[in-house]
Amino acid sequence: MTSTPPLSGILSYGPDEAQHLVLSRPEPGTRPRGIAVLIHGGYWRSHLFASLMDPLAASLRAEGWITANVEYRRGATGRWPAPLEDTTEALERIAAFQQAEGIGGPLLTVGHSVGGQLALLTARLADGVVALAPVTDAERTYLENLGDNAAAEYFGATPDQAPEIYRSASPVHQPLGTTPTVILHGANDDRVPIVHSNAFMAAAGSQGSPVELREFRTLGHLEAIDPLAVHWAGALSWMAEASGPTPRAAKSE
């Protein structure tokens, strides 16, 4: 087992205690492949934390990636669009750090569930996106009572009452752009059914966006953040091959 490298630092990117990220480097002497930004899920609930992504972060550092594990506002005190604003700010800070430190390689995002939602919505700020069982349609999440009625609890309104909020929180209804993206999703996932990713793929196809879906017969929702699960070796290979062909500055113009 590879030992976890020492903590490189905690970066605050806003005044709220939730607005921080943990930046960690690979083993000393390792030339970094780039930066992998991890964004956790938890259906917008505040009792789940960025530590959910620690096992994947350790696996990525063992492969030579610098990792940035992002915490963000959510729950009753972090209503939408706070998670999106925080993820955007964190990614901009990380990109600035990468440039200032002269760190080569791509900046990739790895998001799970709602973290996948945020990674997809901020794809223009990254060179590639790995979305693990992502939430892609907030309205459908509400209508299907997913995550123990998570959308109703978090948004505090129905899609009819707040259509703009639900639409802005739904990657399936947003321009997808040109960032290479891979979605990894289990056919047996009962927290975010794979039909949501199928619908997202249809939208991506209609826009000509470079999105790939890898479906696994058995990959439970929480298994998607287990580095020993069936999907992860392929995710690491995809990330190793990612090169970010379109500069982030060009994509943001």
Side-chain angles (χ1 to χ4, degrees):
M1 179 179 295
T2 303
S3 62
T4 302
L7 182 69
S8 296
I10 299 175
L11 171 65
S12 295
Y13 60 85
D16 192 277
E17 63 180 358
Q19 293 173 301
H20 70 271
L21 60 90
V22 178
L23 187 69
S24 303
R25 298 180 183 271
E27 294 287 352
T30 301
R31 181 178 180 180
R33 289 181 179 271
I35 301 180
V37 181
L38 297 107
I39 312 169
H40 73 89
Y43 266 129
W44 307 291
R45 293 184 170 109
S46 59
H47 69 280
L48 297 168
F49 302 95
S51 56
L52 287 168
M53 303 297 274
D54 283 349
L56 293 188
S59 172
L60 287 162
R61 290 193 299 272
E63 295 293 319
W65 292 91
I66 294 172
T67 60
N69 198 359
V70 177
E71 193 58 272
Y72 55 89
R73 291 172 295 166
R74 61 218 181 276
T77 59
R79 296 297 188 187
W80 194 265
L84 179 57
E85 293 171 344
D86 285 0
T87 306
T88 298
E89 179 66 22
L91 282 167
E92 290 175 346
R93 294 283 189 98
I94 295 164
F97 163 80
Q98 183 177 22
Q99 183 176 11
E101 295 291 321
I103 299 169
L107 189 159
L108 305 180
T109 53
V110 181
H112 173 244
S113 194
V114 163
Q117 169 207 30
L118 296 169
L120 292 170
L121 289 173
T122 57
R124 72 189 187 282
L125 301 175
D127 296 312
V129 174
V130 178
L132 308 171
V135 172
T136 56
D137 191 331
E139 179 177 359
R140 192 169 180 176
T141 299
Y142 175 94
L143 294 174
E144 296 176 8
N145 300 320
L146 297 176
D148 303 313
N149 298 314
E153 174 189 316
Y154 176 65
F155 294 106
T158 69
D160 287 339
Q161 292 169 332
E164 298 85 359
I165 290 176
Y166 277 85
R167 187 174 184 85
S168 70
S170 299
V172 72
H173 295 309
Q174 301 300 315
L176 302 181
T178 59
T179 302
T181 297
V182 62
I183 297 173
L184 300 101
H185 208 146
N188 62 323
D189 191 326
D190 60 358
R191 297 288 285 179
V192 180
I194 197 168
V195 291
H196 290 220
S197 285
N198 292 333
F200 183 82
M201 288 299 298
S206 70
Q207 297 183 32
S209 297
V211 182
E212 173 190 356
L213 172 61
R214 297 183 182 181
E215 179 177 338
F216 298 87
R217 185 173 59 85
T218 56
L219 182 67
H221 194 65
L222 288 180
E223 283 183 288
I225 54 173
D226 181 357
L228 300 180
V230 63
H231 68 307
W232 189 240
L236 290 174
S237 295
W238 187 92
M239 293 176 68
E241 295 171 2
S243 59
T246 303
R248 289 188 298 278
K251 289 192 291 185
S252 64
E253 291 177 355

